[in-house]
Amino acid sequence: MLRISIQTILRGALMAGGIGIFLAASPLEVAAQDRTPMRIAVEGAFPPFNYLDANNKLQGFDIDIANALCEVGKFECQFIIEKWDDIIPNLVADKYDAIISSMSMSLERRQKVAFTEKYYNSPSVFIVRKDTSINDISPAALSDRKLGVTSSTAQESFANHLYPEMKKTIFRSSPELYKGLADGSVDIILEDKLAIYDWIANTKAGSCCEFKGPDLVDVTYFGEGAGIALRLDDKERLTRLDEALKSIKADGTYDMINAKYFPFSIQ
């Protein structure tokens, strides 16, 4: 059965009579037109913050926060999965507009990109297997041990500068890092505490391991929390995202997302 809309009939009739009109767009079309396009890069391999589920769909705290910011800030958002090593260079090269991927705001990164206010804070920490003989995490005590870190992270930079004598294995992603610790490929790893929390607390594989030593909060390497990265000259988008972040924290949206992933506040 042929379906012809009323708008089509009216348009044809009016044009036949030599009269042209502009038909009003639908509310959904107007809403889309009012939104600013924004391409968001995420790694997609950093659970529970950003990862691909069994259906190959992006999930996680970062994704939920990004969607909330896009709604409040009136952005039409598109997610792009990017390798961590390339994520800042390709932002600068205008392949996307923002990085919402648990990026710590280190001094080194601030030279290359602009950051919003922090949207969560997490210390870094050493993790070992429970059967380890490691008790002292000083550089001298660990000099003959194998350390695992993830490539191009604040943890790698911290380890290279403060633990220069240690043998290091650089893993491509956090899941690979955790596996390396569990199977004994490395003796100890350095990781974002919130990122590895779920693996240690709620998985069979993670029950092998535990935190060792105090939380590490060195601002030089780990910054002042995780922020959204943008190009240095993108002032207007930065302002809008900061305003949207304040809004979702004020109206309870942030707390709802927080509670979905953690039984404590990560602000």
Side-chain angles (χ1 to χ4, degrees), residues 28 65 68 88 122 137-138 151 161 169 173 186 224 228 245 263:
L28 288 177
I65 289 292
I88 286 181
S122 177
I137 59 165
S138 67
S151 174
H161 286 88
T169 299
S173 68
V186 293
E224 300 169 347
I228 300 167
L245 185 57

Side-chain angles (χ1 to χ4, degrees), residues 14-144:
L14 290 166
M15 291 303 293
I19 302 172
I21 64 168
F22 293 99
L23 294 172
S26 70
L28 288 177
E29 290 172 331
V30 171
Q33 291 168 3
D34 286 345
R35 292 177 178 269
T36 302
M38 183 165 67
R39 301 161 296 171
I40 300 172
V42 295
E43 182 190 16
F46 193 56
F49 290 95
N50 59 82
Y51 61 95
L52 292 170
D53 66 14
N55 297 315
N56 215 35
K57 184 178 179 181
L58 278 170
Q59 303 285 359
F61 178 86
D62 288 332
I63 309 306
D64 290 354
I65 289 292
N67 282 324
L69 294 175
C70 290
E71 181 63 28
V72 173
K74 294 187 177 181
F75 292 104
E76 189 68 26
C77 291
Q78 171 193 0
F79 289 98
I80 297 171
I81 297 174
E82 179 65 275
K83 294 179 181 178
W84 189 252
D85 289 353
D86 298 330
I87 205 162
I88 286 181
N90 285 339
L91 170 67
V92 175
D94 198 23
K95 293 187 177 180
Y96 31 79
D97 306 302
I99 300 170
I100 306 182
S101 195
S102 290
M103 180 168 283
S104 59
M105 300 183 288
S106 68
L107 294 177
E108 180 182 358
R109 287 174 178 152
R110 286 187 182 275
Q111 303 303 311
K112 302 173 184 177
V113 297
F115 282 104
T116 61
E117 295 296 317
K118 71 177 180 182
Y119 66 98
Y120 80 85
N121 198 16
S122 177
S124 291
V125 67
F126 284 106
I127 304 99
V128 297
R129 292 184 300 279
K130 291 178 179 177
D131 61 3
T132 188
S133 60
I134 295 174
N135 290 309
D136 185 348
I137 59 165
S138 67
L142 294 178
S143 61
D144 62 344

